[in-house]
Amino acid sequence: MEKKNDSTFKYRQLLSCKCLKMRMASRIATQFYDKKLKPVKIKITQFTILSIIATGENKTVNSLSEDLLMDRTTLTRSLDILFKQNLIENVKNNDARKRIVQLTSQGYVILEKAIPLWKEAEDEIFDQCKKYGFSAF
């Protein structure tokens, strides 16, 4: 059996894992955007969902989940929060098996207020990541 000191290098090299680095960068970016969007009381994940719904196409939960690369269960939980905040509503359709959502007028108001905050975050994100040693995504 290896001594603890002999195996230290073996385990330290695992810290250079590309997936670990990408997940760390993702958490940094998410926290940064969430902080910027705090005045409008939404998170970057909610902003993204609202943005896609706002494109004007009738979006089913299935199509949203494909567009966002999210599983339906996670998306449904996020949609339920937006629904409770009165930012989205269900659209009546002929197929009861399909849930179609659209922004409410309040959803558009929040999205409009969020866009300048998001743009500010977009302009600053790379500098923020450099503080943590990430030079590019």
Side-chain angles (χ1 to χ4, degrees), residues 36-93:
K36 288 288 184 181
L37 293 169
K38 195 171 187 172
V40 290
K41 298 181 176 126
I42 61 171
K43 298 190 176 289
I44 189 61
T45 50
Q46 295 166 324
F47 176 85
T48 304
I49 293 168
L50 293 174
S51 299
I52 290 177
I53 294 171
T55 62
E57 302 172 27
N58 283 337
K59 291 286 187 179
T60 64
V61 173
N62 281 341
S63 65
L64 278 171
S65 117
E66 289 171 11
D67 290 348
L68 293 164
L69 301 175
M70 289 174 81
D71 66 270
R72 282 179 36 111
T73 304
T74 302
L75 177 59
T76 298
R77 281 195 304 268
S78 295
L79 291 174
D80 288 345
I81 292 168
L82 294 171
F83 185 77
K84 287 176 185 170
Q85 293 174 322
N86 195 34
L87 302 180
I88 63 168
E89 61 190 1
N90 292 319
V91 176
K92 292 183 182 187
N93 67 76

Coordinates of all heavy atoms in Angstrom, one line a residue, residues 36-93:
K36 N -26.1 40.1 -9.9 CA -26.5 41.2 -10.7 C -28.0 41.3 -10.9 O -28.5 42.4 -11.0 CB -25.8 41.1 -12.1 CG -24.3 41.4 -12.1 CD -24.1 42.8 -11.9 CE -22.6 43.1 -12.0 NZ -22.3 44.5 -11.8
L37 N -28.7 40.2 -11.0 CA -30.1 40.2 -11.2 C -30.9 40.3 -9.9 O -32.2 40.3 -10.0 CB -30.5 38.9 -12.0 CG -30.0 38.8 -13.4 CD1 -30.2 37.4 -14.0 CD2 -30.7 39.8 -14.3
K38 N -30.3 40.3 -8.8 CA -31.0 40.3 -7.5 C -32.0 41.5 -7.4 O -33.1 41.3 -6.8 CB -29.9 40.4 -6.4 CG -30.5 40.1 -5.0 CD -29.4 39.9 -4.0 CE -30.1 39.5 -2.7 NZ -29.1 39.1 -1.7
P39 N -31.7 42.7 -7.9 CA -32.7 43.8 -7.8 C -34.1 43.4 -8.4 O -35.1 44.0 -8.0 CB -32.0 44.9 -8.5 CG -30.6 44.7 -8.4 CD -30.5 43.2 -8.5
V40 N -34.1 42.5 -9.4 CA -35.4 42.2 -10.0 C -35.9 40.8 -9.5 O -36.9 40.3 -10.0 CB -35.3 42.2 -11.6 CG1 -35.2 43.6 -12.1 CG2 -34.2 41.3 -12.1
K41 N -35.2 40.3 -8.5 CA -35.6 39.1 -7.8 C -35.8 37.8 -8.7 O -36.7 37.0 -8.5 CB -36.9 39.4 -7.0 CG -36.8 40.4 -6.0 CD -38.0 40.7 -5.2 CE -37.8 41.7 -4.1 NZ -38.6 42.8 -4.1
I42 N -34.9 37.7 -9.7 CA -34.8 36.5 -10.4 C -33.4 36.0 -10.5 O -32.5 36.8 -10.3 CB -35.4 36.6 -11.9 CG1 -34.7 37.6 -12.7 CG2 -36.9 36.9 -11.8 CD1 -35.0 37.7 -14.2
K43 N -33.2 34.8 -10.8 CA -31.9 34.2 -11.0 C -31.6 34.0 -12.5 O -32.5 34.1 -13.3 CB -31.8 32.8 -10.3 CG -32.1 33.0 -8.8 CD -31.8 31.7 -8.1 CE -31.9 31.8 -6.6 NZ -30.8 32.6 -6.0
I44 N -30.3 33.8 -12.8 CA -29.9 33.7 -14.2 C -30.7 32.6 -14.9 O -31.0 32.6 -16.1 CB -28.4 33.6 -14.4 CG1 -28.0 33.7 -15.9 CG2 -27.9 32.3 -13.8 CD1 -28.4 35.0 -16.5
T45 N -30.9 31.5 -14.2 CA -31.6 30.4 -14.8 C -33.1 30.8 -15.2 O -33.6 30.4 -16.2 CB -31.7 29.2 -13.8 OG1 -32.2 29.6 -12.5 CG2 -30.3 28.5 -13.7
Q46 N -33.7 31.6 -14.3 CA -35.0 32.1 -14.6 C -35.0 33.1 -15.7 O -35.9 33.1 -16.6 CB -35.6 32.7 -13.3 CG -35.9 31.7 -12.2 CD -36.1 32.3 -10.9 OE1 -35.6 33.4 -10.6 NE2 -37.0 31.7 -10.1
F47 N -34.0 34.0 -15.7 CA -33.8 34.9 -16.8 C -33.7 34.2 -18.2 O -34.3 34.6 -19.1 CB -32.6 35.8 -16.6 CG -32.2 36.7 -17.7 CD1 -32.8 38.0 -17.7 CD2 -31.3 36.4 -18.7 CE1 -32.6 38.9 -18.7 CE2 -31.0 37.3 -19.7 CZ -31.6 38.5 -19.7
T48 N -32.9 33.1 -18.2 CA -32.8 32.4 -19.4 C -34.1 31.8 -19.9 O -34.4 31.9 -21.1 CB -31.7 31.3 -19.2 OG1 -30.5 31.9 -18.7 CG2 -31.4 30.5 -20.5
I49 N -34.8 31.2 -19.0 CA -36.1 30.6 -19.4 C -37.1 31.7 -19.9 O -37.7 31.6 -20.9 CB -36.7 29.9 -18.2 CG1 -35.9 28.7 -17.8 CG2 -38.2 29.5 -18.5 CD1 -36.3 28.0 -16.5
L50 N -37.1 32.8 -19.2 CA -38.0 33.9 -19.6 C -37.6 34.4 -21.0 O -38.4 34.7 -21.8 CB -38.0 35.1 -18.6 CG -38.6 34.8 -17.2 CD1 -38.3 36.0 -16.3 CD2 -40.1 34.5 -17.3
S51 N -36.3 34.5 -21.2 CA -35.8 35.0 -22.5 C -36.2 34.1 -23.6 O -36.6 34.6 -24.7 CB -34.3 35.1 -22.5 OG -33.8 36.0 -21.5
I52 N -36.1 32.8 -23.4 CA -36.5 31.9 -24.5 C -38.0 31.9 -24.7 O -38.4 31.9 -25.9 CB -35.9 30.5 -24.2 CG1 -34.4 30.4 -24.3 CG2 -36.6 29.4 -25.1 CD1 -33.8 29.1 -23.9
I53 N -38.7 32.0 -23.7 CA -40.2 32.1 -23.8 C -40.6 33.4 -24.6 O -41.5 33.4 -25.4 CB -40.9 31.9 -22.5 CG1 -40.7 30.6 -21.9 CG2 -42.4 32.2 -22.6 CD1 -41.2 30.4 -20.4
A54 N -39.8 34.4 -24.3 CA -40.2 35.8 -24.9 C -39.9 35.8 -26.4 O -40.3 36.8 -27.0 CB -39.4 36.8 -24.2
T55 N -39.3 34.8 -26.9 CA -39.0 34.9 -28.4 C -40.3 34.9 -29.2 O -40.3 35.2 -30.4 CB -38.1 33.7 -28.8 OG1 -38.8 32.5 -28.6 CG2 -36.8 33.7 -28.2
G56 N -41.4 34.6 -28.6 CA -42.7 34.7 -29.2 C -43.2 33.4 -29.8 O -44.4 33.3 -30.1
E57 N -42.4 32.4 -29.9 CA -42.9 31.1 -30.3 C -43.7 30.4 -29.2 O -43.3 30.6 -28.0 CB -41.7 30.2 -30.7 CG -40.8 30.8 -31.8 CD -39.6 29.9 -32.0 OE1 -39.6 28.7 -31.7 OE2 -38.6 30.5 -32.4
N58 N -44.7 29.7 -29.5 CA -45.4 28.9 -28.5 C -44.4 27.7 -28.1 O -44.2 26.9 -28.9 CB -46.7 28.3 -29.0 CG -47.8 29.4 -29.0 OD1 -47.7 30.4 -28.3 ND2 -48.8 29.2 -29.9
K59 N -44.0 27.8 -26.9 CA -43.0 26.8 -26.4 C -43.7 25.8 -25.5 O -44.3 26.2 -24.5 CB -41.9 27.5 -25.6 CG -41.0 28.3 -26.5 CD -40.1 27.5 -27.3 CE -39.1 28.3 -28.0 NZ -38.2 27.5 -28.8
T60 N -43.5 24.5 -25.8 CA -44.0 23.5 -24.9 C -42.9 23.2 -23.9 O -41.7 23.6 -24.1 CB -44.3 22.2 -25.7 OG1 -43.1 21.7 -26.3 CG2 -45.4 22.4 -26.8
V61 N -43.2 22.5 -22.9 CA -42.2 22.2 -21.9 C -41.1 21.3 -22.5 O -39.9 21.5 -22.3 CB -42.8 21.5 -20.7 CG1 -41.8 20.9 -19.7 CG2 -43.8 22.4 -19.9
N62 N -41.6 20.4 -23.4 CA -40.6 19.6 -24.1 C -39.6 20.4 -25.0 O -38.4 20.1 -24.9 CB -41.3 18.5 -25.0 CG -41.8 17.4 -24.3 OD1 -41.4 17.1 -23.1 ND2 -42.8 16.7 -24.8
S63 N -40.1 21.3 -25.7 CA -39.2 22.1 -26.6 C -38.3 23.0 -25.7 O -37.2 23.2 -26.1 CB -40.0 23.0 -27.6 OG -40.8 23.9 -27.0
L64 N -38.9 23.6 -24.7 CA -38.0 24.4 -23.7 C -36.9 23.5 -23.2 O -35.8 23.9 -23.1 CB -38.9 24.9 -22.6 CG -39.6 26.2 -22.9 CD1 -40.6 26.5 -21.7 CD2 -38.7 27.4 -23.1
S65 N -37.3 22.3 -22.7 CA -36.3 21.4 -22.1 C -35.2 21.1 -23.1 O -34.0 21.0 -22.8 CB -36.9 20.2 -21.5 OG -36.6 19.0 -22.1
E66 N -35.5 20.9 -24.4 CA -34.5 20.6 -25.4 C -33.7 21.9 -25.7 O -32.4 21.8 -25.8 CB -35.2 20.2 -26.7 CG -35.8 18.8 -26.7 CD -36.7 18.5 -27.9 OE1 -36.7 19.2 -28.9 OE2 -37.4 17.4 -27.8
D67 N -34.3 23.0 -25.8 CA -33.6 24.3 -26.0 C -32.6 24.6 -24.9 O -31.5 25.1 -25.2 CB -34.5 25.5 -26.2 CG -35.4 25.5 -27.4 OD1 -35.1 24.7 -28.3 OD2 -36.3 26.2 -27.5
L68 N -32.9 24.3 -23.7 CA -32.1 24.6 -22.5 C -31.2 23.5 -22.1 O -30.4 23.6 -21.2 CB -33.0 25.0 -21.4 CG -33.8 26.2 -21.5 CD1 -34.9 26.3 -20.5 CD2 -32.9 27.4 -21.3
L69 N -31.3 22.3 -22.8 CA -30.6 21.1 -22.4 C -30.8 20.8 -20.9 O -29.9 20.5 -20.2 CB -29.1 21.3 -22.7 CG -28.7 21.6 -24.1 CD1 -27.2 21.8 -24.3 CD2 -29.1 20.5 -25.1
M70 N -32.0 20.9 -20.5 CA -32.4 20.6 -19.1 C -33.4 19.4 -19.1 O -34.2 19.3 -20.1 CB -33.2 21.8 -18.5 CG -32.4 23.0 -18.2 SD -33.4 24.3 -17.6 CE -33.7 23.9 -15.9
D71 N -33.4 18.6 -18.1 CA -34.4 17.6 -18.0 C -35.7 18.2 -17.6 O -35.8 19.3 -17.0 CB -33.9 16.5 -17.0 CG -33.9 16.9 -15.6 OD1 -32.8 17.4 -15.1 OD2 -34.9 16.9 -14.9
R72 N -36.8 17.5 -18.0 CA -38.1 18.1 -17.8 C -38.5 18.3 -16.4 O -39.2 19.3 -16.1 CB -39.1 17.1 -18.5 CG -39.2 17.3 -20.0 CD -40.3 16.3 -20.5 NE -41.4 16.1 -19.6 CZ -42.6 16.6 -19.9 NH1 -42.9 17.2 -21.0 NH2 -43.6 16.4 -19.0
T73 N -38.0 17.5 -15.5 CA -38.4 17.6 -14.1 C -37.8 18.9 -13.5 O -38.5 19.7 -12.8 CB -37.9 16.4 -13.3 OG1 -38.4 15.2 -13.8 CG2 -38.3 16.5 -11.8
T74 N -36.5 19.1 -13.8 CA -35.9 20.4 -13.3 C -36.6 21.6 -13.9 O -36.8 22.6 -13.2 CB -34.4 20.4 -13.7 OG1 -33.8 19.2 -13.1 CG2 -33.7 21.6 -13.2
L75 N -36.8 21.5 -15.2 CA -37.5 22.6 -15.9 C -38.9 22.9 -15.3 O -39.3 24.0 -15.1 CB -37.6 22.4 -17.4 CG -38.3 23.4 -18.2 CD1 -37.7 24.8 -18.1 CD2 -38.4 23.0 -19.7
T76 N -39.6 21.8 -15.1 CA -41.0 22.0 -14.5 C -40.9 22.7 -13.2 O -41.8 23.5 -12.9 CB -41.7 20.6 -14.4 OG1 -41.8 20.1 -15.7 CG2 -43.0 20.7 -13.8
R77 N -40.0 22.3 -12.3 CA -39.8 23.0 -11.0 C -39.6 24.5 -11.2 O -40.1 25.3 -10.5 CB -38.7 22.4 -10.2 CG -39.1 21.1 -9.5 CD -38.1 20.7 -8.4 NE -36.7 20.5 -8.9 CZ -36.2 19.4 -9.3 NH1 -36.9 18.3 -9.4 NH2 -35.0 19.4 -9.7
S78 N -38.7 24.8 -12.2 CA -38.4 26.2 -12.5 C -39.6 27.0 -13.0 O -39.9 28.1 -12.6 CB -37.2 26.3 -13.4 OG -36.0 25.8 -12.9
L79 N -40.3 26.3 -13.9 CA -41.5 26.9 -14.5 C -42.6 27.1 -13.4 O -43.3 28.2 -13.4 CB -42.1 26.0 -15.6 CG -41.3 26.0 -16.9 CD1 -41.9 24.9 -17.8 CD2 -41.2 27.3 -17.5
D80 N -42.7 26.2 -12.4 CA -43.7 26.4 -11.3 C -43.4 27.6 -10.5 O -44.3 28.3 -10.1 CB -43.7 25.1 -10.5 CG -44.4 23.9 -11.2 OD1 -45.1 24.2 -12.2 OD2 -44.2 22.8 -10.7
I81 N -42.1 27.9 -10.3 CA -41.7 29.1 -9.5 C -42.1 30.3 -10.3 O -42.6 31.2 -9.7 CB -40.2 29.0 -9.2 CG1 -39.8 27.9 -8.2 CG2 -39.7 30.4 -8.7 CD1 -38.4 27.6 -8.1
L82 N -41.8 30.3 -11.6 CA -42.1 31.5 -12.4 C -43.6 31.7 -12.5 O -44.1 32.8 -12.5 CB -41.5 31.3 -13.8 CG -40.0 31.3 -13.9 CD1 -39.5 30.9 -15.3 CD2 -39.5 32.7 -13.5
F83 N -44.4 30.6 -12.5 CA -45.8 30.6 -12.5 C -46.4 31.2 -11.2 O -47.2 32.1 -11.2 CB -46.4 29.2 -12.7 CG -47.9 29.2 -12.9 CD1 -48.5 29.5 -14.1 CD2 -48.7 28.8 -11.8 CE1 -49.9 29.5 -14.2 CE2 -50.1 28.7 -11.9 CZ -50.7 29.1 -13.1
K84 N -45.8 30.8 -10.1 CA -46.2 31.3 -8.8 C -45.9 32.8 -8.7 O -46.6 33.6 -8.0 CB -45.6 30.6 -7.7 CG -46.2 29.2 -7.5 CD -45.5 28.4 -6.4 CE -46.0 27.0 -6.4 NZ -45.2 26.1 -5.5
Q85 N -44.8 33.3 -9.3 CA -44.4 34.7 -9.3 C -45.3 35.5 -10.3 O -45.0 36.7 -10.5 CB -42.9 34.8 -9.6 CG -42.0 34.3 -8.6 CD -40.6 34.3 -9.0 OE1 -40.2 34.1 -10.1 NE2 -39.7 34.6 -8.0
N86 N -46.2 34.8 -11.0 CA -47.0 35.5 -12.1 C -46.2 36.0 -13.2 O -46.5 37.1 -13.8 CB -47.9 36.5 -11.5 CG -49.0 36.9 -12.4 OD1 -49.5 36.1 -13.2 ND2 -49.4 38.2 -12.4
L87 N -45.1 35.4 -13.6 CA -44.2 35.8 -14.7 C -44.5 35.0 -16.0 O -44.2 35.5 -17.0 CB -42.7 35.6 -14.3 CG -42.3 36.4 -13.1 CD1 -40.8 36.2 -12.8 CD2 -42.6 37.9 -13.2
I88 N -45.1 33.8 -15.8 CA -45.6 33.0 -17.0 C -47.0 32.5 -16.7 O -47.4 32.5 -15.6 CB -44.6 31.8 -17.3 CG1 -44.6 30.9 -16.1 CG2 -43.2 32.3 -17.6 CD1 -44.0 29.5 -16.4
E89 N -47.6 32.1 -17.8 CA -48.9 31.5 -17.7 C -49.0 30.4 -18.7 O -48.3 30.4 -19.7 CB -50.0 32.6 -17.9 CG -50.0 33.2 -19.3 CD -50.9 34.4 -19.4 OE1 -51.6 34.8 -18.4 OE2 -50.9 35.0 -20.5
N90 N -50.0 29.5 -18.5 CA -50.2 28.4 -19.4 C -51.1 28.9 -20.5 O -52.0 29.8 -20.3 CB -50.9 27.2 -18.7 CG -50.0 26.6 -17.7 OD1 -48.8 26.4 -18.0 ND2 -50.5 26.2 -16.6
V91 N -50.9 28.4 -21.7 CA -51.7 28.8 -22.9 C -52.6 27.6 -23.2 O -52.2 26.5 -23.2 CB -50.7 29.0 -24.1 CG1 -51.6 29.3 -25.4 CG2 -49.8 30.2 -23.9
K92 N -53.9 28.0 -23.4 CA -54.8 26.9 -23.8 C -54.5 26.4 -25.1 O -54.1 27.1 -26.0 CB -56.2 27.5 -23.7 CG -56.7 27.8 -22.4 CD -58.1 28.3 -22.4 CE -58.5 28.7 -20.9 NZ -59.9 29.0 -20.8
N93 N -54.6 25.1 -25.3 CA -54.3 24.5 -26.6 C -55.2 23.2 -26.7 O -55.8 22.8 -25.7 CB -52.8 24.1 -26.7 CG -52.3 23.1 -25.8 OD1 -52.6 21.9 -26.0 ND2 -51.6 23.4 -24.7

